[in-house]
């Protein structure tokens, strides 16, 4: 991004974050590459990394100023998130997932949670550098129906919320949840009215980790972004008091404040992986000699590098447009968010493939570090909706009366 387009605040934050990535994150990733494969999820990321992220002020973005957060300019907040998100992911995409989930859920809480619970949980988030937030939508029966969404009762969530005395009883399970293994606070979506479609019958709740009836069932061992612990949760007769209800019935609509910036941040993290792939490849091809010359002097190699750079600039341009649209609340923000999330995932997957191939055999060696970028990039094809579902969502919003109707009905 052209530095001239950034505000003073954005430039300073980006530089601080860049220094953190260069001085702390990248040396850790390079020197302790085996840590990714430690099969004890809580031991993968050293505590100091999140402590350092906290020190440089990037761990709790999204927390409102009135709760002692950093008050970013609301006119360019999502763009700032995108700039900082890209930088963290240049260091490590899993770490970026871990941290950014806090920003995204904080945005939801500040819009929907009652004041006394915002006070309580923002304080917890600020005081404990290891504290994480999670957002639980996906269930074993699949997430695509929810993303589209098909607004018919048969496509609704299986997790049920039933009114119970002065609160709610929740039963069900969630899977594939970012930070699901180690979060201290969860936002959980459940079907509170099976007679109607999910846009009218889904409610959302705040669920503290120590709520009786909540079990963290497992940590999923993912192929990439491994420094974020993805988890599975089970709810068995889990009672929640009334004030833990965030939105009743229209929770999916209300979640727009989470999903739009969320997709921008997905694309931004994805771009960070691509930027890192380009950096290491540009370095490699200008130093590694084959056929009597450094690689970049061979035209086939130079062409690939040109292709990588062009794809990254195209992603960056669309990301800039989408993040500005969200900040401005413009009507095309939603469709642009889906477009950039989709576009980034496919372009950066190709960029990472070029990086892998240009490194030859070194590209697939774990200790060399390049194959990690390829694995991390692959994850983004599935997160926050698959590529096919994202395309479908784009067309659905353009042609709601034809593409938008339920494929299962006549
Ligand atoms: C690393 C990671 C982190 C995640 N984090 C979270 C999180 O924090 N919270 C959360 O709630 N979820 C999270 N998810 C879940 C993610 O949103 C889903 O995995 C994704 O939306 C796809 O859903 P699914 O896996 O259930 O696939 P399915 O919905 O089962 O889809 C399987 C296949 O069928 C295709 N398909 C399905 N329906 C249709 C249709 N109608 N038309 C055409 N094709 C169709 C899909 O495109 C896909 O190819 C995460 C996933 C990953 C991988």
């Amino acid at each position: 991004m052209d530095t001239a387009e950034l505000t003073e605040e954005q430039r300073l934050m980006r530089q601080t974050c860049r220094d953190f990535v260069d001085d702390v994150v990248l040396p850790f990733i390079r020197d302790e590459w085996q840590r990714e494969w430690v099969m004890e999820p809580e031991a993968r990321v050293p505590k100091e990394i999140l402590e350092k992220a906290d020190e440089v002020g990037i761990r709790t973005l999204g927390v409102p100023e009135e709760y002692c957060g950093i008050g970013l300019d609301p006119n360019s907040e999502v763009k700032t998130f995108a700039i900082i998100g890209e930088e963290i992911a240049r260091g490590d995409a899993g770490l970026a997932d871990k941290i950014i989930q806090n920003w995204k859920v904080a945005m939801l809480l500040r819009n929907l949670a009652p004041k006394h619970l915002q006070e309580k949980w923002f304080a917890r988030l600020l005081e404990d550098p290891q504290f994480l937030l999670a957002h639980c939508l996906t269930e074993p029966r699949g997430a695509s129906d929810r993303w589209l969404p098909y607004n018919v009762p048969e496509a609704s969530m299986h997790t049920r919320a039933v009114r119970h005395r002065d609160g709610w009883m929740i039963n069900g399970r969630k899977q594939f949840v970012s930070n699901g293994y180690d979060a201290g606070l969860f936002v959980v979506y459940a079907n509170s009215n099976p007679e109607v479609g999910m846009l009218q019958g889904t409610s959302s709740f705040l669920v503290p980790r120590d709520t009786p009836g909540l079990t963290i069932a497992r940590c999923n061992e993912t192929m990439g972004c491994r420094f974020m612990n993805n988890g599975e949760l089970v709810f068995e007769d889990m009672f929640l008091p009334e004030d833990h209800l965030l939105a009743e019935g229209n929770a999916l609509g209300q979640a727009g404040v989470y999903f739009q910036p969320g997709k921008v941040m997905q694309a931004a993290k994805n771009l960070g992986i691509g930027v890192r792939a380009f950096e290491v490849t540009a370095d490699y091809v200008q130093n590694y000699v084959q056929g009597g010359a450094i690689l970049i002097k061979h035209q086939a190699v130079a062409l690939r590098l040109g292709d990588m750079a062009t794809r990254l600039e195209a992603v960056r341009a669309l990301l800039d447009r989408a993040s500005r649209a969200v900040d401005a609340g413009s009507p095309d923000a939603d469709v642009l968010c889906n477009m950039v999330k989709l576009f980034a995932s496919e372009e950066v997957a190709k960029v990472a493939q070029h990086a892998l191939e240009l490194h030859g055999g070194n590209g697939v060696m774990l200790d060399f570090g390049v194959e990690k970028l390829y694995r991390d990039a692959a994850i983004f094809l599935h997160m926050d909706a698959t590529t096919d579902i994202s395309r479908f969502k784009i067309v659905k919003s353009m042609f709601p009366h034809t593409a938008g109707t339920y494929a299962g009905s006549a």
Side-chain angles (χ1 to χ4, degrees), residues 101 135-138 142-144 147-148 150 176-178 230 379 382-386 388-389:
Q101 208 57 17
H135 190 257
C136 315
L137 214 119
T138 304
S144 299
W147 280 118
L148 284 167
Y150 284 137
F176 300 165
V177 176
S178 299
N230 186 284
I379 295 282
H382 308 88
M383 258 199 280
D384 272 28
T386 62
D388 291 339
I389 296 301

